[in-house]
Amino acid sequence: MDNQRLAATVVVLKHDFAISQQKMCQLSTVAAAVKVERDEEIWRVYDTSLKMDDKIAIECEKKNSEINNEHCEVMEKNTIALQLVREIEDFVQNGSPKQGKGWFTQEELYILALMAYIRFKVSMDLCHRHLMSYKR
């Protein structure tokens, strides 16, 4: 009787083992398919991120170019403004070559110089704000 019970138990265990092996094979196949799917998705995301990086780099280069152009324009305006200030200072000190000294009073020249400075300052502030808007 013990041998028959042992033999029956062995048969049942062998059957259970075969079923477990079959399920393990099925699970392994499903896991491999999921891994392939995941790998493909990871590569798609990676490829998309590379494309976005390229687009961002191109846009940054464009913005940097625009900022550099704006900077050059500001520097040009600054040079022109400084030249105008020098001319006004020279005019204040020496008078107009055509009119001679005394064509404007000291106060009038001061007011003209102050107005030119204010215009220049406003223009520079606007340029600065414009440049800062690109950096955001």
Side-chain angles (χ1 to χ4, degrees):
M1 245 349 210
D2 276 341
N3 282 343
Q4 284 180 339
R5 256 193 262 152
L6 281 173
T9 303
V10 167
V11 170
V12 169
L13 287 174
K14 282 184 178 179
H15 182 264
D16 287 348
F17 181 71
I19 290 173
S20 294
Q21 276 186 324
Q22 187 180 17
K23 286 183 180 180
M24 285 291 288
C25 259
Q26 289 171 345
L27 287 174
S28 180
T29 303
V30 169
V34 167
K35 184 182 180 324
V36 166
E37 235 178 83
R38 270 237 167 112
D39 288 348
E40 288 174 355
E41 181 64 23
I42 287 170
W43 281 110
R44 274 194 298 272
V45 168
Y46 179 71
D47 187 51
T48 301
S49 72
L50 288 177
K51 288 176 183 175
M52 289 174 71
D53 280 348
D54 288 344
K55 287 179 183 178
I56 289 170
I58 290 169
E59 286 301 315
C60 285
E61 190 61 36
K62 285 180 186 176
K63 291 294 181 184
N64 283 337
S65 177
E66 289 175 14
I67 288 171
N68 287 337
N69 289 342
E70 292 287 332
H71 180 72
C72 287
E73 287 179 25
V74 168
M75 295 306 290
E76 276 181 42
K77 288 180 180 182
N78 191 21
T79 302
I80 291 169
L82 289 174
Q83 179 62 33
L84 288 173
V85 167
R86 283 189 204 109
E87 288 177 15
I88 290 171
E89 286 173 348
D90 184 52
F91 188 80
V92 168
Q93 290 174 357
N94 302 322
S96 169
K98 293 180 183 175
Q99 301 294 329
K101 262 192 164 185
W103 192 52
F104 286 113
T105 66
Q106 221 34 38
E107 291 82 18
E108 290 171 332
L109 291 174
Y110 177 76
I111 290 170
L112 288 173
L114 188 59
M115 288 171 54
Y117 174 77
I118 290 170
R119 283 192 197 115
F120 168 72
K121 188 70 174 153
V122 168
S123 173
M124 294 303 285
D125 286 345
L126 289 174
C127 288
H128 179 72
R129 285 186 198 143
H130 186 66
L131 286 172
M132 289 297 109
S133 71
Y134 280 120
K135 290 186 179 181
R136 293 184 192 144

